[in-house]
Amino acid sequence: LEKLHETASKVGLQISYEKTQYIDTKSTDKLPLETQYGKIFQVSHFKYLRETIQPTGLNTISNKERAVKLQKAYKLTWNHYNKRSISLNAKLRHYNAVVLPEALYAAETTVLKGMSKIHEIEKQERKILRKIFGAVLKDGKWIKRPTKELYERTETITDTFRKRCLKFY
């Protein structure tokens, strides 16, 4: 770090020791790294390019944030999905172009098994798709559209995550 500081200062750059943080995958004690120029503190996670980085490599925090982003994008546009004057194809195109990218940002690095909490994102996706497709009249009663019907015209968000991971690798 000290060598980096000296090299950076030669070209007029400065390291902000107040803003710089580090993660350690092995150590649990939160001791700061001490240099002659300042201290760098250890954190349990941090944000980088809108993604939360965890030392375990899991995406539990990021996936919770993805579900919240998906929900916020949906709440901003949900009243458009009520309108019968807008075609189903237009609603799906809007969902794929405006709402879905909120959850798909940096999807290439998402862990899909274990403690990843991707089921919250899937739940939110089904809620939005049910709003887009509407209810079904069966035996004189309006019921929620079955999940199988939702995915006849679209793919699941988990499949989209998997495709992006494979493309990335």
Side-chain angles (χ1 to χ4, degrees), residues 23 45-54 58-66 69 101-111 161:
I23 286 183
H45 64 276
F46 67 91
K47 280 220 180 238
Y48 181 71
L49 299 175
R50 282 183 39 193
E51 275 298 297
T52 303
I53 310 294
Q54 293 176 262
L58 293 176
N59 301 72
T60 51
I61 297 172
S62 290
N63 286 341
K64 284 179 188 174
E65 291 170 354
R66 276 190 180 94
K69 288 176 192 174
E102 286 295 319
L104 294 179
Y105 179 78
E108 295 82 7
T109 60
T110 302
V111 178
F161 279 138

Side-chain angles (χ1 to χ4, degrees), residues 23-48:
I23 286 183
D24 189 353
T25 58
K26 294 180 180 130
S27 173
T28 55
D29 53 343
K30 302 280 186 219
L31 297 175
L33 291 176
E34 305 226 11
T35 67
Q36 68 186 56
Y37 304 107
K39 293 180 182 178
I40 299 177
F41 292 95
Q42 181 180 358
V43 292
S44 59
H45 64 276
F46 67 91
K47 280 220 180 238
Y48 181 71

Side-chain angles (χ1 to χ4, degrees), residues 113-126:
K113 62 182 180 179
M115 300 169 42
S116 65
K117 306 290 186 206
I118 193 134
H119 63 275
E120 290 297 322
I121 300 169
E122 292 170 337
K123 213 164 48 170
Q124 191 65 37
E125 179 198 31
R126 285 190 300 274

